[in-house]
Each structure stands twice: as C-alpha cells, then as structure tokens.
C-alpha cells in the first residue's frame, strides 16, 4: 500500500494508536486554554516583579517549553531569562533572582536539587509540576506552585507546561501582552489544527504532506535562532513518537560550520529532507542567512520546504502553529511506519539504568 493510500485509511491508522496519543495531540489548544485559565487564579507575590534575573530550571520536554518562553521574553524584557538544566546553579543566583522550577513529574533530580539550592540562597521561588519533590519544596518554602492535573506522558502535556510559564512571565511584565495575545493565538491554533486532522485528505493536510515526504527520508531542520526550540521539539517528537531519526541546527551554526554538509543531501537518491523554520519576527541577520541557505539548497536541487507563517498573528501564534504541525507529523509518520506512537522502551530502559534497576528485555 502506498503512503498516500495508507494515510487516507483513518480507521486502520487509529487502530495502531493503542494509548490514544492522538487525543493528547488534539488536546493541545485545550491544554493551553485550561493551563492559562487556572494559572490566572494563582497568586504571585508582587515583589517578584523586582527580579533582576529569571532562571528557569527544566530538562527534557519542560526545557523545551522553557526555551519557548525565553525566546518570547527576549523580544520584550530588559531582565535576562535563562534556561538551566544542571543541578548546580550559576553563581549569580541570589535573593534578587526568580527561579522557576519546571518538571512534569516533579521528580527530576537535577531540577529539585537546583531548586533546593535556590531556596538556600534566598531566591524568589515558583514551581510547575504535577507533584513530586517540586511540589513538596514549594509547600516547604511557601512558594507559589502551579499543579498540573493531566494524566499523560510529559511530551503529551506540552500545553500544560507552556501556558502557566508564559502567563507567569507576562504577569510579571517579562513578556508583553501584545507578544502573546493569548485568546487570539489559541483561536488561530484551533483553526489551523482543523486542517491537520485525520479525516482531512493528504492534498489538503500539511502534516500528511510532510509525512509523505519523510516516509523514506530523515529530517534535517535548519532554524532561525528564534525558531530553534520549535525545531528541537520536532526532532524530539519524531524520535519518540515515530522512532525516526531527525536532527536540527540553528542557522548561524550552518552558516559558520556545517554548510558543506549540504552537498551530501543532493541527487535523486538523497535520503535527507530539509525543513527551514523561520518567522517574520526573526532578526535581519537570520533572515539573510536563511535566504542564502535556501538559494544554495535550490541550486543543489536538495529536497526542502520552508515553514514561514503569514505574519498576521503574534510570535506566540507562530510558535503554537509550528508545534502542532510537528506533533501531527510525528503521529502520521508513526502510523506510516506501523508503530504505536506512545511507548518509549529505550528511554524507559535508560531511566531504569540510571535509577539502578533494569526493566528492558532484549
């Protein structure tokens, strides 16, 4: 059965999705709306607005959500917003630093260790998790804590990680409201997601079209520095949902170091498909670099696609729509390959080995 035919047989596709990953992907707009609404009920101490630096402690999917928020803040805030994944905090963290700990389970050891150290240094504290050590530390130090209430793997709860973090930074004026325009951005996301759903045929469905392109190729993402976290989300979703190789680089690395690699992607038997991520909010330097890279790709007849939204919405809207497209792409690729998108046995094995147990049988 060819790829197009397989993508149109919706009932066959859904039978492979034993744990209903598709529902979590569909939930993305609702996750954002629910996370935003419930976060607005949480009180944040007014003196947090006086922070001289914001450090977001996060790893894995939480770190991607943190990178999204940091990119949004970089356009607006005179206060630096940093993402930190190591347990040992940078030396500058002190009583004037706002430290936000994000861990879906609340059990990430390096995050809770860093959060505990931040408390000892007298930093301003805020936590986002379903529970675990992060919740316990927030209760201990009487710090505000946003408790996620959603039963899924962390990568399937991306909206519940992103929305409360963005709303917190907006409320403290580290992100401007017009950068977000939350309701408008989520409404635009809902409209776009309708184009990605399973009943929509390949010739009208951007996610299915990309899945067709990538069914026998690897994905290589080149992104502006602003869009780079989205490219990272794509590669992570393809690895975990579709079990397919993909990698990404920011355009400045391509420009200064890895442009020669593109010569290996040419010809009729090329096994790599390039996607260029860009936004109308990119810097002039990044826009110029991406234009030049795309010219070289076209000359070399390298298969590629540019992802650029129409620019009528907010930067946040761009981020959300690109994310949804990648999530649906990973789902359709998993089903083309005949794999259930939810299980991650090798990651489970890695976590088990790091905790001193072993569960995976070869």
């Amino acid at each position: 059965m060819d790829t197009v035919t397989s993508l149109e047989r919706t009932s066959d596709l859904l039978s492979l999705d034993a744990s209903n990953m598709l529902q979590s992907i569909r939930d993305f707009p609702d996750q954002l709306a629910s996370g935003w609404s419930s976060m607005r009920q949480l009180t944040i101490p007014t003196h947090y607005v006086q922070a001289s630096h914001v450090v977001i402690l996060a790893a894995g999917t939480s770190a991607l959500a943190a990178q999204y928020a940091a990119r949004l803040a970089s356009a607006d805030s005179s206060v630096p917003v940093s993402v930190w994944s190591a347990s040992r905090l940078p030396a500058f963290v002190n009583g004037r630093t706002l430290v936000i700990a994000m861990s879906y389970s609340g059990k990430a050891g390096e995050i809770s260790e860093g959060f505990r150290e931040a408390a000892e240094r007298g930093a301003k504290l805020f936590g986002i998790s379903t529970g675990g050590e992060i919740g316990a530390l927030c209760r201990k130090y009487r710090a505000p804590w946003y408790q996620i209430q959603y039963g899924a793997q962390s990568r399937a709860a991306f909206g519940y990680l992103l929305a409360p973090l963005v709303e917190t930074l907006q409320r403290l004026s580290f992100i401007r409201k017009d950068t977000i325009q939350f309701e408008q951005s989520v409404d635009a996301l809902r409209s776009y997601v309708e184009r990605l759903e399973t009943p929509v045929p390949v010739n009208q469905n951007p996610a299915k079209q990309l899945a067709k392109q990538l069914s026998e190729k690897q994905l290589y993402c080149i992104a502006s520095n602003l869009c780079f976290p989205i490219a990272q989300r794509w590669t992570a979703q393809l690895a975990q949902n579709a079990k397919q190789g993909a990698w990404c680089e920011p355009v400045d690395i391509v420009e200064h170091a890895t442009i020669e690699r593109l010569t290996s992607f040419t010809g009729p038997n090329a096994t790599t498909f390039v996607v260029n991520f860009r936004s109308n909010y990119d810097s002039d330097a990044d826009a110029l670099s991406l234009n030049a890279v795309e010219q070289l790709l076209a000359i070399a007849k390298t298969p590629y696609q540019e992802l650029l939204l129409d620019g009528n919405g907010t930067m946040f809207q761009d981020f959300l729509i690109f994310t949804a497209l990648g999530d649906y792409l990973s789902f359709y690729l998993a089903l083309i390959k005949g794999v259930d998108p939810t299980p991650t046995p090798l990651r489970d094995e890695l976590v088990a080995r790091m905790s001193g147990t072993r569960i995976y049988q070869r």
Side-chain angles (χ1 to χ4, degrees), residues 31-335:
Q31 290 180 20
L32 290 161
S34 176
W36 188 270
S37 176
S38 54
M39 177 60 215
R40 292 178 72 85
Q41 310 306 313
L42 189 66
T43 300
I44 301 175
T46 55
H47 69 275
Y48 278 22
V49 75
Q50 300 170 1
S52 60
H53 201 131
V54 180
V55 175
I56 307 170
L57 304 179
T61 301
S62 297
L64 287 178
Q67 290 288 1
Y68 278 41
R71 291 303 199 279
L72 295 168
S74 69
D76 298 336
S77 178
S78 59
V79 173
V81 177
S82 306
V83 181
W84 196 257
S85 299
S87 58
R88 179 172 294 180
L89 292 181
F92 64 75
V93 172
N94 57 29
R96 297 187 61 204
T97 309
L98 170 58
V99 176
I100 302 174
M102 286 183 61
S103 168
Y104 184 69
S105 68
K107 300 175 182 178
E110 68 272 31
I111 306 306
S112 56
E113 288 175 22
F115 200 44
R116 189 178 295 106
E117 183 181 349
E120 293 170 355
R121 295 192 197 180
K124 309 173 198 303
L125 305 177
F126 181 74
I128 300 173
S129 71
T130 56
E133 186 68 9
I134 298 303
L137 287 169
C138 286
R139 290 190 293 270
K140 177 179 178 180
Y141 293 104
R142 298 184 179 179
W145 170 46
Y146 177 84
Q147 184 176 18
I148 300 170
Q149 311 230 6
Y150 189 70
Q153 296 184 11
S154 61
R155 71 182 190 274
F158 194 66
Y160 279 114
L161 291 163
L162 183 60
L165 177 61
V166 169
E167 204 281 331
T168 298
L169 295 178
Q170 177 184 285
R171 199 188 305 179
L172 296 172
S173 300
F174 300 128
I175 299 176
R176 292 199 316 265
K177 287 186 177 181
D178 58 358
T179 298
I180 303 301
Q181 293 184 24
F182 184 83
E183 290 82 4
Q184 173 187 317
S185 295
V186 173
D187 285 346
L189 173 65
R190 290 188 193 280
S191 296
Y192 186 77
V193 162
E194 292 177 0
R195 299 170 54 193
L196 309 178
E197 271 294 346
T198 52
V200 180
V202 172
N203 63 357
Q204 299 173 33
N205 189 319
K208 288 183 178 180
Q209 290 168 13
L210 272 170
K212 178 185 173 185
Q213 293 276 11
L214 289 168
S215 61
E216 296 181 357
K217 297 183 185 297
Q218 291 190 98
L219 173 65
Y220 173 42
C221 301
I222 300 173
S224 67
N225 282 280
L226 184 65
C227 294
F228 186 59
I230 307 165
Q232 292 178 297
R233 168 71 176 181
W234 276 46
T235 59
Q237 287 291 80
L238 262 64
Q240 294 184 88
N241 289 347
K243 286 69 177 175
Q244 177 154 325
W247 76 104
C248 58
E249 290 177 321
V251 68
D252 59 316
I253 296 297
V254 176
E255 175 188 354
H256 292 288
T258 59
I259 186 65
E260 297 302 329
R261 169 187 298 165
L262 299 183
T263 60
S264 64
F265 302 160
T266 62
N269 298 318
T271 58
T272 299
F273 187 85
V274 181
V275 171
N276 295 328
F277 292 82
R278 59 192 308 171
S279 167
N280 283 327
Y281 297 96
D282 291 336
S283 68
D284 290 343
D286 274 9
L288 180 63
S289 295
L290 282 165
N291 287 342
V293 168
E294 288 180 0
Q295 290 167 10
L296 290 178
L297 290 170
I299 291 169
K301 298 183 179 180
T302 301
Y304 80 96
Q305 180 169 333
E306 177 189 84
L307 291 183
L308 172 66
L309 299 185
D310 58 21
N312 291 329
T314 65
M315 187 188 305
F316 188 53
Q317 177 181 313
D318 285 5
F319 283 18
L320 300 183
I321 288 177
F322 279 146
T323 300
L325 178 58
D327 288 357
Y328 273 89
L329 166 63
S330 71
F331 175 77
Y332 290 130
L333 273 176
L335 302 184

